[in-house]
């Protein structure tokens, strides 16, 4: 498997220096996004990624002896493996790899991504760790060998322990982040030291050809969102089994095709409520709802207010 985040920020990103960290901004023609970099320990950086974009192209760090820990908070990221297969990190997952297993392109299937990347330069940090955690004999080279003995990366799927460690890292005030992140990095290393790797089932990966078919299907159903396609007719049209279609779609986009399209239609309706003068009934019909009441219920389930209340609340903004 390949890793997919790099501490060496993409050269196309613009640099902004702050008192506590460095912020790189994505080139506007590639979307919107920032990478905020905090140096917290010798050889250790914490990077906060926040992207509204479809992809990101990192630049390879010259030192390959770097351990990366990647936590996904929102969205999804696609990673291409050495054999051409694709792996996905979803919300709450922790993905680990060495810099030598880099990827030169990261796709964001949902069009957005927020996450944390921790890079640990093993040449600079390994001998320093005992100074910060003197009572726990963490051997970094041994830890690396344990996690990557059978593969070139390791997944820890979303669980409470991971959420507990990372959740506060996204909301802590900027002025406290350097100190807070320093403590969190040490906490993460302790967690990994005691984690039983033998009990963690690794995520399934997908063949690139099959993923391309799913992306074609996604393009079709979103461009023709007013229509309702069945799994069977899509499977026949694209020469893929219904079972493979459902499984691969969920693997790529994180939800079932039905759930994805429901959210897509409701978001489209929310945009129409603010950008057009069409009635609620007309909008419901346009996005494929025959029943205005069902549309209203689906809209309220997602936005917690009715379509009319949504238009009244946000139309002036």
């Amino acid at each position: 498997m390949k890793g997919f985040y790099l501490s060496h920020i993409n050269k196309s990103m613009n640099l902004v220096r702050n008192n506590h960290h460095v912020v790189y901004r994505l080139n506007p023609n590639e979307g919107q996004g920032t990478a905020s970099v905090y140096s917290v320990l010798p050889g250790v950086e914490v990077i906060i990624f926040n992207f509204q974009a479809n992809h990101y192209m990192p630049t390879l760090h010259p030192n390959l002896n770097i351990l990366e820990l990647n936590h996904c908070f929102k969205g999804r990221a696609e990673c291409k493996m050495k054999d051409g297969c694709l792996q996905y990190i979803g919300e709450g997952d922790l993905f680990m790899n060495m810099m030598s297993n880099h990827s030169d392109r990261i796709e964001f299937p949902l069009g957005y991504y927020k996450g944390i990347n921790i890079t640990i330069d093993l040449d600079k940090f390994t001998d320093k760790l005992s100074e910060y955690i003197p009572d726990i004999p963490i051997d970094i080279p041994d830890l690396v060998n344990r996690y990557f003995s059978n593969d070139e990366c390791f997944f820890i799927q979303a669980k409470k322990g991971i959420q507990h460690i990372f959740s506060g890292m996204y909301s802590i005030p900027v002025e406290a982040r350097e100190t807070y992140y320093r403590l969190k990095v040490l906490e993460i290393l302790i967690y990994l030291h005691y984690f039983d790797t033998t009990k963690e089932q690794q995520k399934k990966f997908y063949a690139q050809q099959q993923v391309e078919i799913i992306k074609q299907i996604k393009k079709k159903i979103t461009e023709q969102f007013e229509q309702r396609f069945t799994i069977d007719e899509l499977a026949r049209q694209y020469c893929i089994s219904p079972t493979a279609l459902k499984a691969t779609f969920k693997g790529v986009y994180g939800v079932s095709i039905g759930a994805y399209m429901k959210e897509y239609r409701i978001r489209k309706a929310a945009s129409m409520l603010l950008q057009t003068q069409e009635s609620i009934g007309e909008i419901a019909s346009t996005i494929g709802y025959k029943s205005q009441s069902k549309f209203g219920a689906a809209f309220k389930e997602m936005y917690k207010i009715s379509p009319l209340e949504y238009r009244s609340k946000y139309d002036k903004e």
Side-chain angles (χ1 to χ4, degrees), residues 48-64:
I48 308 295
F49 287 113
N50 195 351
F51 291 108
Q52 292 286 333
N54 293 317
H55 69 274
Y56 167 60
M57 300 183 70
T59 304
L60 176 61
H61 195 288
N63 180 8
L64 302 183

Side-chain angles (χ1 to χ4, degrees), residues 66-260:
I66 292 177
L67 172 64
E68 291 192 291
L69 310 176
N70 309 283
H71 179 260
C72 174
F73 182 60
K74 290 182 179 180
R76 290 179 75 74
E78 175 186 288
C79 172
K80 187 176 181 180
M81 312 305 173
K82 287 180 178 178
D83 60 4
C85 291
L86 300 172
Q87 180 66 272
Y88 294 86
I89 176 173
E91 293 184 2
D93 293 340
L94 178 64
F95 181 81
M96 304 169 58
N97 66 278
M98 294 299 294
M99 187 68 71
S100 54
N101 300 320
H102 75 282
S103 178
D104 58 7
R105 183 181 175 92
I106 303 162
E107 298 282 347
F108 303 127
L110 302 181
Y112 62 91
Y113 182 83
K114 185 173 185 178
I116 286 176
N117 168 247
I118 300 172
T119 60
I120 301 175
D121 187 325
L122 302 186
D123 297 331
K124 295 180 180 179
F125 182 67
T126 300
D127 295 335
K128 300 285 186 181
L129 181 57
S130 60
E131 298 178 14
Y132 300 98
I133 315 178
D135 300 326
I136 303 176
I138 299 178
D139 185 320
I140 293 289
D142 178 69
L143 184 146
V144 169
N145 290 332
R146 181 158 57 89
Y147 278 90
F148 306 131
S149 61
N150 297 317
D151 212 330
E152 295 176 337
C153 67
F154 194 88
F155 260 107
I156 300 179
Q157 299 187 42
K159 48 178 52 68
K160 289 182 179 179
I162 298 297
Q163 180 183 4
H164 170 76
I165 294 173
F166 282 93
S167 58
M169 296 179 74
Y170 295 95
S171 58
I172 191 75
V174 172
E175 61 270 18
R177 286 185 177 181
E178 187 174 337
T179 300
Y180 187 77
Y181 289 168
R182 184 180 303 121
L183 297 173
K184 283 296 180 178
V185 167
L186 299 176
E187 182 181 1
I188 291 162
L189 290 174
I190 294 172
Y191 178 90
L192 295 176
H193 175 69
Y194 289 106
F195 186 81
D196 187 350
T197 60
T198 63
K199 295 182 179 179
E200 186 69 11
Q201 183 177 0
Q202 293 303 283
K203 279 193 169 186
K204 179 181 179 181
F205 51 88
Y206 301 89
Q208 186 170 0
Q209 183 178 7
Q210 200 165 60
V211 169
E212 288 305 317
I213 292 173
I214 293 303
K215 289 181 178 179
Q216 291 175 28
I217 291 173
K218 179 258 184 182
K219 185 174 185 293
K220 177 183 178 69
I221 62 179
T222 52
E223 287 181 348
Q224 302 177 43
F225 63 89
E226 70 283 354
Q227 300 184 41
R228 292 185 178 269
F229 300 96
T230 67
I231 296 293
D232 288 339
E233 66 180 306
L234 289 171
R236 285 194 300 270
Q237 182 176 351
Y238 288 89
C239 300
I240 183 174
S241 75
T243 300
L245 191 161
K246 290 187 288 187
T248 309
F249 191 97
K250 189 169 184 179
V252 174
Y253 296 104
V255 294
S256 69
I257 192 168
Y260 183 92

Side-chain angles (χ1 to χ4, degrees), residues 36-50:
S36 302
V37 185
Y38 300 80
S39 296
V40 298
L41 288 163
V44 180
E45 290 181 339
V46 174
I47 307 172
I48 308 295
F49 287 113
N50 195 351

